[in-house]
Amino acid sequence: KDREGLLAFTRMTCDLILAIRQCRRPVVAALNGTVAGAGAVIASACDFRLAAPNAKIAFLFTKVGLSGADMGAAWLLPRLVGFGRATELLMTGEFIDAETAVAIGLYHRIVPQNQLLGEATELAARLARAPSEAMGVTKDALNREATMDLESALDFEARAQAECMRNPNFREAYEAFRAKRDPRFT
């Protein structure tokens, strides 16, 4: 492709990451096998990453002559594993195993391969039953507050929480607690 075609392609891949991060609902990844390059960044953009024991991961862009800073990797990865680990992963392009990925905070947990899809689906279902407004506000705060100072973050959270308190799901949670039953969120 020519320069404009390549730029259009790379922007399209960035749009995918932005869509995952801007999605108001949590996104769950079930990682099984090799997770590399674009797949590694897509997994990093997800809110939850469950992995089979064999799920190795690499941000291997530099190994093929590309920037390790692709599809938002240089923004996402330091927030997950810290600046030093992100630097190592993005600059070396080396694979790490599932145990290491869990230890540094990249994967949430390792699940036996035959249970991975079921556990990821169960987690997604549990999250889907949660109050959607609360989930959306929480995800938005996680995305936005990384660039705020403490006072701005506290102001943002105070305003967001006050709005959540006006949502019918908050009343439903209270009524369910009083009636000693599970809430039925809308």
Side-chain angles (χ1 to χ4, degrees):
K1 294 185 178 205
D2 63 9
R3 180 179 297 231
E4 289 305 311
L6 291 171
L7 184 57
F9 173 75
T10 57
R11 285 190 170 147
M12 182 263 313
T13 63
C14 291
D15 289 345
L16 170 62
I17 300 305
L18 189 60
I20 293 169
R21 292 308 316 149
Q22 289 182 340
C23 178
R24 298 283 290 175
R25 300 298 294 185
V27 179
V28 178
L31 309 171
N32 184 8
T34 301
V35 183
V41 184
I42 293 167
S44 298
C46 294
D47 300 294
F48 295 89
R49 287 162 301 285
L50 306 184
N54 67 334
K56 62 183 183 173
I57 189 167
F59 298 82
L60 47 71
F61 300 109
T62 57
K63 286 194 165 215
V64 297
L66 297 174
S67 169
D70 187 35
M71 298 173 63
W75 189 92
L76 293 163
L77 208 50
R79 286 162 174 76
L80 296 173
V81 302
F83 187 82
R85 291 285 190 174
T87 300
E88 179 181 9
L89 292 170
L90 294 177
M91 289 190 172
T92 68
E94 298 294 329
F95 277 96
I96 59 172
D97 61 26
E99 292 82 16
T100 304
V102 168
I104 66 173
L106 185 52
Y107 294 170
H108 288 87
R109 66 180 166 272
I110 298 171
V111 178
Q113 189 167 0
N114 64 342
Q115 297 172 21
L116 178 62
L117 189 55
E119 191 162 328
T121 301
E122 190 280 323
L123 173 59
R126 189 169 72 239
L127 293 167
R129 289 189 298 271
S132 61
E133 183 66 17
M135 292 300 228
V137 168
T138 301
K139 187 167 178 177
D140 186 43
L142 286 165
N143 284 332
R144 296 171 72 182
E145 289 185 33
T147 60
M148 294 181 186
D149 61 43
L150 178 60
E151 288 182 37
S152 299
L154 291 171
D155 182 63
F156 175 81
E157 288 185 12
R159 291 173 190 277
Q161 198 72 307
E163 284 303 308
C164 284
M165 289 174 177
R166 296 171 37 97
N167 189 285
N169 282 325
F170 181 63
R171 170 57 68 183
E172 170 57 18
Y174 173 75
E175 295 299 333
F177 174 78
R178 287 189 58 205
K180 295 181 174 46
R181 63 169 172 79
D182 289 336
R184 293 181 294 270
F185 296 120
T186 58

